[in-house]
Amino acid sequence: MKRLIIISILVLVACSRHDDLPPPLQLADPPVPTDLRVETVDNITFLLTWEIADTSVVREYWIYSQVEILPGATTPLERIATEESVDTTAVQIQTDDGLPLPGIATFCVSSVTIENVEGQKACAKAE
Amino acid sequence: MSIRRTQKRQLISSNIRPISAWALAALLLVLIVPTQAFGLDSALVRSLLIPGLGQAHQGHYTKASILAGSAVLSGFGLFLSQVYYNEAVTKYRDQQRIYASYGVALEDGNVVSIQDMNLTYTEMEAQYNSAEDRLVWRNAFLAAFIATYAVNVIDVLISKPHKIDSAEQLSVDVDADGFRVTKTFRF
């Protein structure tokens, strides 16, 4: 009996197994801004407007910009502003130096929930 | 080069653990099983150390070859499958750590992108499935190795040593045309 126990323990040690797959974190899905429009007011000022389905879980909005200097050559997407008023769906952005010429600006907006989760970005080019 | 050497060392050490466990099990079996069992102590001890060796000692060369070959194949398969399984588990645990770090970041008040989290979870799930598939192979080879070993031990316990009749070994037939000498080999 003792021999059987010793051998069984050794067999179990040899037959190690990986952990089970953990469940995904239970977090509210961040709503994605829809119908994003970017209106060029002047070379340094842009008006962003969007729609949002559910603001109950939203804490703030993050606004990004990217400039296409040449076809296929773009600057990295950078966060340029934070809008903390969750009911606001229209924001006027003023860039520091203005767009390089020729340059097409793309703006993106994402929502950040009260659980600190950033949702998918909605992007649109300046008109 | 140093990172690769470290990874290689870790891979080998993680594989030596199960092999060491088996070697220790074999050694304990040799030490604790009475060597006088059924009066076949020498053959039993040989079979416990190396499958097929006891059968060869008893003169059953065919069985010895089959058992030894089976042990080598299943043992080699077990080693390889264990290496691949450990590789998959390492990748799975890496993704698990990354995913867990998102939970910690959120608890610390840092913002985490849902896209990054979902991508990591998808990758973790893929590595988990890969580990599960490789585990099936590892367990199959392990079962084959255990079965070979068990058959080897049971066979040596119940088999009697092969007694070669001296009359069968060599015979001479004489007829009008000449004579024929026959030597018999048994396997």
Side-chain angles (χ1 to χ4, degrees):
Chain A
M1 189 59 193
K2 274 184 197 173
R3 285 175 218 160
L4 193 63
I5 292 166
I6 293 166
I7 292 161
S8 302
I9 290 166
L10 286 168
V11 167
L12 282 169
V13 163
C15 299
S16 58
R17 200 194 177 285
H18 51 280
D19 305 329
D20 285 334
L21 187 69
L25 294 168
Q26 297 300 312
L27 299 163
D29 278 336
V32 181
T34 56
D35 203 23
L36 175 66
R37 285 188 186 173
V38 182
E39 190 188 317
T40 308
V41 177
D42 55 45
N43 196 40
I44 62 167
T45 312
F46 302 89
L47 179 66
L48 277 65
T49 56
W50 66 88
E51 302 290 328
I52 195 92
D54 179 20
T55 58
S56 62
V57 296
V58 177
R59 191 186 76 202
E60 60 192 23
Y61 299 103
W62 283 5
I63 297 157
Y64 299 79
S65 79
Q66 187 177 47
V67 180
E68 187 181 351
I69 303 161
L70 290 167
T74 54
T75 59
L77 194 67
E78 269 184 78
R79 185 154 72 100
I80 56 169
T82 302
E83 178 53 54
E84 290 177 6
S85 172
V86 296
D87 295 319
T88 303
T89 55
V91 169
Q92 188 152 288
I93 299 290
Q94 214 158 30
T95 59
D96 294 332
D97 304 317
L99 288 182
L101 292 173
I104 304 166
T106 299
F107 291 87
C108 299
V109 178
S110 65
S111 66
V112 177
T113 67
I114 51 180
E115 291 169 317
N116 292 329
V117 179
E118 185 195 3
Q120 209 174 329
K121 296 176 184 61
C123 299
K125 288 187 178 172
E127 293 164 8
Chain B
M1 185 63 107
S2 62
I3 296 167
R4 229 183 272 166
R5 218 177 277 164
T6 310
Q7 283 174 340
K8 207 176 173 184
R9 219 177 282 148
Q10 283 171 347
L11 200 62
I12 291 167
S13 67
S14 63
N15 288 312
I16 284 173
R17 219 180 305 124
I19 295 167
S20 304
W22 282 111
L24 193 57
L27 187 63
L28 273 173
L29 270 170
V30 169
L31 291 173
I32 58 185
V33 169
T35 57
Q36 298 299 321
F38 300 102
L40 295 170
D41 53 325
S42 187
L44 179 63
V45 169
R46 283 166 202 249
S47 269
L48 285 170
L49 286 172
I50 299 170
L53 200 58
Q55 281 80 6
H57 181 70
Q58 288 176 332
H60 301 294
Y61 297 108
T62 308
K63 274 195 284 185
S65 308
I66 292 168
L67 286 166
S70 177
V72 165
L73 279 173
S74 57
F76 185 67
L78 176 62
F79 177 74
L80 267 184
S81 59
Q82 181 70 41
V83 167
Y84 284 126
Y85 171 65
N86 284 351
E87 198 181 30
V89 169
T90 302
K91 287 179 183 174
Y92 166 60
R93 285 192 179 144
D94 286 343
Q95 294 301 319
Q96 227 184 355
R97 264 192 292 272
I98 295 170
Y99 194 72
S101 71
Y102 290 138
V104 172
L106 288 171
E107 279 172 19
D108 289 344
N110 297 313
V111 174
V112 176
S113 163
I114 191 112
Q115 280 180 299
D116 292 343
M117 282 174 55
N118 289 342
L119 268 169
T120 304
Y121 194 85
T122 304
E123 183 58 30
M124 182 173 67
E125 206 172 9
Q127 294 301 337
Y128 174 81
N129 292 333
S130 173
E132 286 280 297
D133 290 340
R134 292 180 187 194
L135 182 64
V136 168
W137 281 104
R138 198 284 302 268
N139 288 345
F141 279 113
L142 184 63
F145 188 76
I146 291 171
T148 302
Y149 211 87
V151 165
N152 158 63
V153 170
I154 292 165
D155 178 71
V156 85
L157 286 173
I158 62 176
S159 296
K160 291 186 182 353
H162 178 69
K163 284 183 183 167
I164 300 163
D165 186 351
S166 57
E168 293 174 335
Q169 278 189 316
L170 192 66
S171 64
V172 178
D173 296 315
V174 182
D175 60 23
D177 296 331
F179 63 92
R180 184 186 294 120
V181 178
T182 307
K183 168 74 178 155
T184 304
F185 296 91
R186 286 190 181 274
F187 296 96

